[in-house]
Amino acid sequence: MTNTTPRAAGRSPRRRRPRWWVELLLGLALFGVYALLGALSLPGHERRAFVHGEDILAVQRMLHTDFERSVNHWLADQGWLMVVANYEYAFGYLLVTLVALVWLYRRRPRHYPWARDVFAISTLLAILCFWLYPVAPPRLLPDAGFIDTVRLGGTWGSWGSPMVEGANQLAAMPSLHIGWALWVAVTLFRSGAAWWARIASIGHVLVTFTVIVATGNHYWLDALGGAVVVGIGVLAADLARGKPVMWDASASRRLWRRGRPAYTGAVTDTATDAKTPVPPKAAQLAAARTFAAEHGKPVKAVVQRIGRAGARVLLVGGDGALGDVVVPSVETGEALIEAVEGLERSEWDADTVAATVIGPEHRRRMAGPLARR
């Protein structure tokens, strides 16, 4: 048998991360398009923007959903809360989007190109809308009765500040604040981020929606427009790849480190030492079946003793994802493999190592000497 090291076995499934300077140039090109179209405004740009803003407000009044002014007046009387909302409007969506881009680039390189494409497509669509269909925000409509809380609060880095003196203020539809917040949420769900990060991303969308309406910068229909351009971006990126891009179970690319071994994409159920064989529990069987259904059959299953905790059934899916189910004993693990359709008893050898889609250092820690046989 040939000698195969874990490093050699790990080369094929990995995808080369895009060069950072190329991604930076793409970002600058996107900004260049925004600046160019802003400088080449169509005739009657400002007049059309105010007409469109009044039209949107009229539609919302007809639907009895023009709640923006009451929320705006409430926020204007809240003192420090108004200041916090102003700064969240000015910087929150930018910072969260930047952090998400860096995290995807560093920890989800397989998903980063898809996420970048969704971001670029949706942003380009929004820029095109700004150019073709300018919309004045509620705070600029002369007779609508809105209060410009951002200017009132003297928010540094936003409207009224020299830092953004040349910014396009007639670009309410669609809302890129909501669009980018939704993009973050979609990419975190698609790339398998931690559960708390996904919940936080949903909260960020709700906070962003509240802020853009309460500060007088957007109509709620602008938020709907932001959702539409992101939806088109997701659909276009999926169609370009032939199928939806979903997460893999690689934990070696996490931005943070967990205290326990981060192997599992399935449910782990621990148990105390057992002197007699115990049949697998329903949760353990369900975890193995779910893993097999999500990651393709046949699933290679390796039973390993892990001391007082009992044993671990390592699962390698048909797509290379890696999961585990902890059971009371080796015998229980073998019984689990027999009970679940699609699981094949295997050893942690070179073939099994090569079938996993994880990083080389993770392979070296897990594989041991059997991977060199």
Side-chain angles (χ1 to χ4, degrees):
M1 181 177 295
T2 59
N3 182 26
T4 305
T5 65
R7 181 179 294 274
R11 287 175 183 165
S12 57
R14 301 197 67 187
R15 178 175 293 182
R16 185 182 297 275
R17 183 182 288 115
R19 295 184 182 276
W20 67 267
W21 57 269
V22 174
E23 302 305 307
L24 180 60
L25 287 177
L26 290 174
L28 292 174
L30 198 62
F31 180 78
V33 172
Y34 174 74
L36 177 63
L37 291 182
L40 299 175
S41 299
L42 296 176
H45 178 82
E46 185 172 336
R47 178 185 56 80
R48 289 187 298 115
F50 281 91
V51 170
H52 294 156
E54 291 168 354
D55 289 344
I56 290 176
L57 199 55
V59 169
Q60 294 186 171
R61 284 172 180 161
M62 182 181 65
L63 297 174
H64 302 289
T65 57
D66 54 328
F67 56 84
E68 292 92 343
R69 188 171 66 173
S70 59
V71 178
N72 171 245
H73 283 217
W74 173 85
L75 180 65
D77 293 331
Q78 299 309 307
W80 66 268
L81 184 60
M82 180 191 73
V83 175
V84 171
N86 290 343
Y87 277 102
E88 202 287 333
Y89 174 81
F91 299 108
Y93 77 114
L94 290 172
L95 292 176
V96 172
T97 301
L98 180 61
V99 169
L101 278 168
V102 173
W103 180 79
L104 286 161
Y105 182 82
R106 296 283 300 170
R107 300 300 181 185
R108 292 294 189 271
R110 295 183 65 209
H111 300 283
Y112 175 80
W114 172 86
R116 175 204 58 210
D117 291 350
V118 174
F119 181 82
I121 293 169
S122 56
T123 302
L124 281 172
L125 284 175
I127 292 172
L128 188 61
C129 287
F130 299 158
W131 186 59
L132 294 175
Y133 190 80
V135 175
R139 62 185 175 82
L140 292 183
L141 295 183
D143 301 320
F146 284 85
I147 300 172
D148 190 343
T149 64
V150 175
R151 192 179 294 272
L152 178 66
T155 307
W156 180 85
S158 193
W159 316 126
S161 170
M163 181 178 175
V164 291
E165 187 174 352
N168 180 13
Q169 298 190 44
L170 304 178
M173 171 66 79
S175 168
L176 271 184
H177 284 72
I178 285 293
W180 287 3
L182 281 173
W183 172 84
V184 170
V186 170
T187 53
L188 289 182
F189 273 84
R190 285 285 191 99
S191 60
W195 65 268
W196 61 264
R198 287 178 275 178
I199 292 176
S201 71
I202 296 174
H204 173 58
V205 173
L206 297 177
V207 169
T208 301
F209 176 78
T210 303
V211 165
I212 66 172
V213 169
T215 57
N217 280 282
H218 285 281
Y219 316 90
W220 72 262
L221 281 174
D222 298 340
L224 180 62
V228 169
V229 295
V230 172
I232 294 174
V234 170
L235 181 61
D238 282 346
L239 289 175
R241 286 161 175 79
K243 62 178 181 179
V245 177
M246 297 302 290
W247 70 283
D248 62 87
S250 172
S252 63
R253 296 175 182 146
R254 291 184 181 273
L255 189 60
W256 53 90
R257 293 189 179 276
R258 298 166 61 176
R260 60 184 177 84
Y263 305 145
T264 181
V267 177
T268 299
D269 189 1
T270 59
T272 57
D273 219 1
K275 295 183 179 179
T276 57
V278 177
K281 295 182 180 180
Q284 295 163 342
L285 293 170
R289 291 190 181 105
T290 300
F291 184 89
E294 291 180 352
H295 298 289
K297 302 175 184 178
V299 173
K300 294 179 180 291
V302 181
V303 181
Q304 291 184 336
R305 190 181 300 278
I306 53 174
R308 293 181 60 84
R312 172 184 289 116
V313 182
L314 291 170
L315 305 173
V316 180
D319 61 354
L322 183 64
D324 70 351
V325 180
V326 175
V327 293
S329 66
V330 171
E331 291 78 13
T332 304
E334 292 172 345
L336 182 142
I337 294 173
E338 292 294 327
V340 176
E341 182 182 358
L343 267 58
E344 291 184 353
R345 184 77 163 82
S346 184
E347 296 292 335
W348 196 247
D349 53 17
D351 292 337
T352 306
V353 170
T356 60
V357 183
I358 57 176
E361 183 176 348
H362 199 169
R363 294 180 186 280
R364 286 196 297 273
R365 286 193 293 108
M366 295 183 58
L370 286 177
R372 299 178 174 84
R373 295 193 329 197

